[in-house]
Amino acid sequence: MTDVPRRRARVRAPELQGRAWLNTGGKDLTLADLRGRCIVIDFWTFCCVNCLHVLDELRELEEKHRDTVVIIGVHSPKFVHEAEHQAVVDAVERYEVHHPVLDDPKLATWKQYAVRAWPTLVVIDPEGYVVAQHAGEGHAHAIETLVGQLEAEHAAKGTLRRGDGPYVPPEPVPTELRFPGKALLLPGGTFLVSDTTRHQLVELAADGESVLRRIGTGERGLDDGTAERARFSEPQGLALLPGGTVAVADTVNHALRRFDPATGEVTTVAGTGRQWWQGSPTEGPAREVDLSSPWDVAWFADRLWIAMAGVHQLWTYDPEDGTVRAAAGTTNEGLVDGPADQAWFAQPSGLAAAGDRLWIADSETSAVRWVERAGEGDGDGDGFVVRTAVGTGLFDFGHRDGAAEQALLQHPLGVTALPDGSVAVADTYNHALRRFDPATGEVSTLATDLREPSDAVLVDRDIVVVESARHRLTRLRLPEEAVRVDPVAHRTQRAATDIAPGTLRLDVVFQAPAGQKLDTRYGPSTRLLVSSTPPGLLAEGGGAGTDLSRELVLAEGVTEGVLHVSAMAASCDDDPANEYPACHVHQQDWGVPVRVTAGGAARLPLVLAGMDEPEAS
């Protein structure tokens, strides 16, 4: 681990540059406008579930220090769709972002601050100097402590300015639904829809438009009870359970709820309301185990499967014995097939059961995958195996039909089983409905000119699409022939880091927050996992370990690729008198594009928390 000194570096914060400002009433902001305030810059992109976790982590800080702290979101897109200005406007409303946001489609500010991953938080003091950088999740407590120190220090110096911040809320738009997530056809022919941004479930008549009832108060929270008093937090997936009740993936509450359409009652069946972190239990009594951003649910193989987007896994819930357990995925982010317990996912966000297959929309890899019973030679995986139909990994996406091995999607969020054994795909960022046919291995386009479709429901010979960004359900006739589109291919565009051939020193910089220390009571409190694309980029140094520094040996002849680095550190309050100190987990995944070239760097620093100051090591 790199030893980072506690002295505060004096680095002047670069100016904020981008296309347009949101949530400011039309005013462009500069750092000079914010002088005298503590600034937290949140580099995010709306496809990233970890970024959404950080938005929720910052809400309490934002409210508690409203007169001294200004949070600035800098939206730095990964996917082409995320560079569309209206898409950013929609995302800011969808996720209830209550602070100014700079739309930075060309990553100008990202580059100025040398950011390497989503999400990244940068703290600027009231005099305009960068004082800390944090990558990943779990840093709200550290920033809270730092803000308290900055407030005291600059109040004493006379450089702290209190008052209202620059946030100006947009005008609300009246619609029956607001960014709906998923839909379910109930046995009586009506639709149940997760009205995600309004924290409700809505039952619509068979026409898909007329509101019959709303379930939930519409205020963010975690309360059980009648339809009039229950509360949700950005609910998403819905699935019928045996007996006629409905399972609800209550995403931001990190919980699984049950809704009874007959009585209107809502109960919590799984989750604690807390987010799962590395080292937490992965099985046990459902109400005692933490979950992480469950995004969709489906009944398959005599249990409820959960797309656990927050940790890149699939979990299951057994209503008979009231238990949950991790069923597929390692928590590593990527696309790896094989036995379920060895597979890698990347924000699985859509599920659909069809016969002996459970279809999966694996959003960050722009992939369609499936789970099935393992056959002879498939390994253990607790009896299940994961396979990929469409998609190659985290960095390639687009809109291209044809043979599945070369077809491209862009961040799909939903899958729907069709009567002929094929699967419809809500190709969200392509604004399209696509189809994969296992019989032919072909991908085609069923419909275009949809707006961020996130799910679809089969109704007789029609398919009803959840057009999330148009706030409605749209009914389409299943076409006899696929729609033809011009093929488009994209690759995630981030500047490559030039590294020297031979040995590369990887340093993950972590400085425990003030008043805390690494938690070594039960062994090493840090974890580092390194891999690469292509795998042949690394001759030595891949794999898991507990040291946050590592020597990587680059293979000869490979000139470019991506280093995948996942780091975790746990810190606890440093107070010998406290028998039960509060502990916190900090974690982040980086995908660092690299180019091997003479004259490149021999050291790659990645800041998990603190400041990288190698000259002072």
Side-chain angles (χ1 to χ4, degrees):
M1 182 183 72
T2 300
D3 182 17
V4 181
R6 290 190 179 275
R7 66 176 177 82
R8 191 171 296 149
R10 300 290 285 175
V11 179
R12 176 66 73 177
E15 192 52 80
L16 305 174
Q17 307 171 43
R19 174 168 56 191
W21 284 91
L22 306 176
N23 284 354
T24 63
K27 176 182 172 60
D28 290 348
L29 299 181
T30 67
L31 291 179
D33 297 330
L34 306 174
R35 197 61 49 82
R37 314 294 288 275
C38 302
I39 303 170
V40 179
I41 301 179
D42 175 19
F43 289 89
W44 69 297
T45 187
F46 64 78
C47 74
C48 164
V49 71
N50 311 94
C51 299
L52 304 185
H53 291 166
V54 168
L55 285 175
D56 291 313
E57 289 177 2
L58 293 176
R59 293 186 199 279
E60 184 176 349
L61 175 75
E62 191 168 32
E63 182 60 34
K64 185 176 179 180
H65 297 270
R66 188 167 293 281
D67 65 335
T68 58
V69 173
V70 175
I71 296 176
I72 300 291
V74 176
H75 188 270
S76 311
K78 171 186 174 180
F79 289 99
V80 169
H81 169 60
E82 292 174 312
E84 296 177 16
H85 182 64
Q86 185 57 48
V88 181
V89 172
D90 289 344
V92 167
E93 180 189 351
R94 181 195 297 267
Y95 297 115
E96 295 185 307
V97 180
H98 293 164
H99 51 251
V101 173
L102 176 61
D103 179 11
D104 182 21
K106 295 184 178 179
L107 279 65
T109 299
W110 167 289
K111 294 171 185 174
Q112 285 291 315
Y113 281 80
V115 175
R116 294 185 182 274
W118 300 276
T120 291
L121 299 169
V122 176
V123 182
I124 301 172
D125 72 13
E127 293 180 290
Y129 291 94
V130 174
V131 293
Q133 180 171 325
H134 303 267
E137 304 177 49
H139 301 294
H141 68 287
I143 294 176
E144 166 80 26
T145 301
L146 177 57
V147 163
Q149 294 173 344
L150 291 174
E151 287 175 343
E153 175 185 335
H154 288 274
K157 292 175 64 176
T159 50
L160 183 70
R161 178 168 59 90
R162 295 179 181 271
D164 293 335
Y167 169 66
V168 178
E171 289 292 326
V173 181
T175 53
E176 295 289 8
L177 302 174
R178 205 69 193 162
F179 298 104
K182 305 288 185 181
L184 175 69
L185 184 66
L186 294 174
T190 60
F191 295 96
L192 188 66
V193 183
S194 54
D195 196 14
T196 304
T197 297
R198 292 208 177 114
H199 315 299
Q200 291 181 318
L201 308 181
V202 178
E203 185 177 0
L204 300 178
D207 61 9
E209 298 178 8
S210 305
V211 175
L212 300 178
R213 61 174 164 169
R214 296 182 180 274
I215 299 94
T217 66
E219 295 180 352
R220 189 189 293 271
L222 179 54
D223 291 321
D224 289 340
T226 64
E228 293 75 26
R229 71 173 302 271
R231 292 199 295 169
F232 301 91
S233 188
E234 299 183 29
Q236 286 280 351
L238 307 165
L240 278 173
L241 293 170
T245 60
V246 177
V248 182
D250 196 6
T251 304
V252 177
N253 276 328
H254 310 295
L256 194 66
R257 317 289 292 279
R258 178 189 279 126
F259 167 62
D260 187 339
T263 66
E265 287 287 320
V266 175
T267 54
T268 301
V269 297
T272 63
R274 298 184 301 269
Q275 183 183 343
W276 187 94
W277 291 99
Q278 289 287 349
S280 301
T282 56
E283 62 179 310
R287 289 298 307 273
E288 299 175 15
V289 177
D290 299 338
L291 309 181
S292 182
S293 297
W295 211 276
D296 203 5
V297 282
W299 187 261
F300 174 70
D302 299 321
R303 66 199 78 175
L304 188 76
W305 289 67
I306 308 165
M308 204 74 77
V311 285
H312 318 300
Q313 289 183 306
L314 304 182
W315 287 39
T316 58
Y317 164 66
D318 186 342
E320 289 294 320
D321 61 13
T323 59
V324 293
R325 63 184 298 272
T330 63
T331 77
N332 296 325
E333 185 178 18
L335 193 156
V336 176
D337 289 342
D341 59 350
Q342 300 172 32
W344 292 22
F345 297 94
Q347 287 179 220
S349 302
L351 299 176
D356 59 359
R357 289 186 178 183
L358 176 69
W359 293 100
I360 306 155
D362 201 27
S363 62
E364 277 292 283
T365 54
S366 297
V368 173
R369 308 173 73 184
W370 78 87
V371 170
E372 64 184 4
R373 294 282 185 185
E376 188 175 345
D378 282 329
D380 182 16
D382 199 27
F384 292 95
V385 65
V386 178
R387 307 192 193 280
T388 297
V390 185
T392 59
L394 288 164
F395 301 99
D396 291 298
F397 59 93
H399 191 157
R400 187 164 64 200
D401 288 336
E405 59 268 19
Q406 57 86 49
L408 294 172
L409 309 168
Q410 187 179 179
H411 198 80
L413 290 179
V415 281
T416 305
L418 298 179
D420 63 356
S422 65
V423 59
V425 183
D427 194 6
T428 309
Y429 287 4
N430 279 327
H431 309 300
L433 189 68
R434 311 285 292 284
R435 174 178 177 263
F436 168 67
D437 186 353
T440 64
E442 293 284 316
V443 174
S444 56
T445 298
L446 297 175
T448 57
D449 194 30
L450 302 168
R451 186 69 187 171
E452 293 192 14
S454 54
D455 196 20
V457 180
L458 193 65
V459 183
D460 299 324
R461 286 186 53 79
D462 293 342
I463 193 163
V464 176
V465 180
V466 179
E467 273 198 277
S468 188
R470 284 199 177 114
H471 321 292
R472 70 188 188 192
L473 303 188
T474 299
R475 195 178 190 107
L476 304 172
R477 176 69 66 178
L478 278 174
E480 297 294 336
E481 295 182 2
V483 176
R484 294 190 181 276
V485 296
D486 293 329
V488 178
H490 299 287
R491 190 167 179 81
T492 300
Q493 295 301 312
R494 273 185 285 162
T497 298
D498 287 338
I499 57 175
T503 300
L504 175 70
R505 179 176 178 82
L506 172 67
D507 287 329
V508 173
V509 178
F510 178 75
Q511 175 182 337
Q516 296 189 13
K517 63 180 181 179
L518 288 173
D519 178 18
T520 56
R521 292 172 298 167
Y522 308 108
S525 62
T526 55
R527 184 189 74 150
L528 180 65
L529 176 68
V530 181
S531 61
S532 66
T533 302
L537 174 65
L538 288 179
E540 297 178 26
T546 58
D547 194 338
L548 292 182
S549 291
R550 188 178 299 180
E551 299 289 333
L552 308 180
V553 178
L554 304 172
E556 294 184 8
V558 182
T559 59
E560 63 180 8
V562 178
L563 289 175
H564 304 284
V565 181
S566 178
M568 183 274 288
S571 61
C572 292
D573 292 344
D574 188 8
D575 181 1
N578 187 353
E579 186 179 357
Y580 302 104
C583 297
H584 308 273
V585 176
H586 317 255
Q587 63 182 38
Q588 174 63 326
D589 297 328
W590 292 268
V592 184
V594 295
R595 181 170 51 236
V596 182
T597 179
R603 174 178 178 265
L604 177 63
L606 299 175
V607 178
L608 180 60
M611 298 284 286
D612 179 40
E613 300 178 79
E615 72 282 357
S617 297

